[in-house]
Amino acid sequence: MGDVNKMLEEQQRELERIRSKRHKGIDTASVRKVLNIVFLLLAVAGFIFYFQKSYRETGIIVIVVGMVVKIIEFFIRFLF
């Protein structure tokens, strides 16, 4: 019984070592949060510009940039 417990503890330590290696990279959750905030700010700014007649093209450009930021966030979510 003691040998089985010892083997299980050893396997648990090995699993923890492997998990810690996997998570040493960039924290994708915080990167995604920042990208979402940037997207929301760009969306609001784009709509404000769009509904002002003299800045309609600028509004479209800002909205497109926001969409690109959102697509980048999407790929980060599903690839990492």
Side-chain angles (χ1 to χ4, degrees):
M1 187 74 167
D3 291 337
V4 173
N5 287 336
K6 191 174 184 180
M7 287 175 47
L8 287 174
E9 287 176 7
E10 187 176 317
Q11 287 178 349
Q12 187 67 26
R13 281 193 297 266
E14 183 67 20
L15 283 173
E16 290 299 322
R17 186 184 66 80
I18 291 170
R19 286 182 185 143
S20 68
K21 274 187 172 182
R22 286 184 186 170
H23 296 296
K24 283 189 177 181
I26 297 172
D27 183 23
T28 58
S30 61
V31 172
R32 287 183 50 226
K33 284 181 188 178
V34 170
L35 289 175
N36 277 323
I37 291 170
V38 170
F39 164 70
L40 290 173
L41 292 174
L42 287 171
V44 170
F47 280 117
I48 290 171
F49 280 124
Y50 182 78
F51 288 115
Q52 293 179 357
K53 293 183 182 185
S54 60
Y55 294 108
R56 195 164 290 251
E57 293 85 16
T58 305
I60 292 172
I61 292 170
V62 172
I63 291 171
V64 168
V65 170
M67 290 171 66
V68 169
V69 169
K70 188 62 177 175
I71 291 169
I72 291 169
E73 186 271 333
F74 171 81
F75 281 114
I76 289 173
R77 181 182 351 152
F78 285 104
L79 293 179
F80 297 104

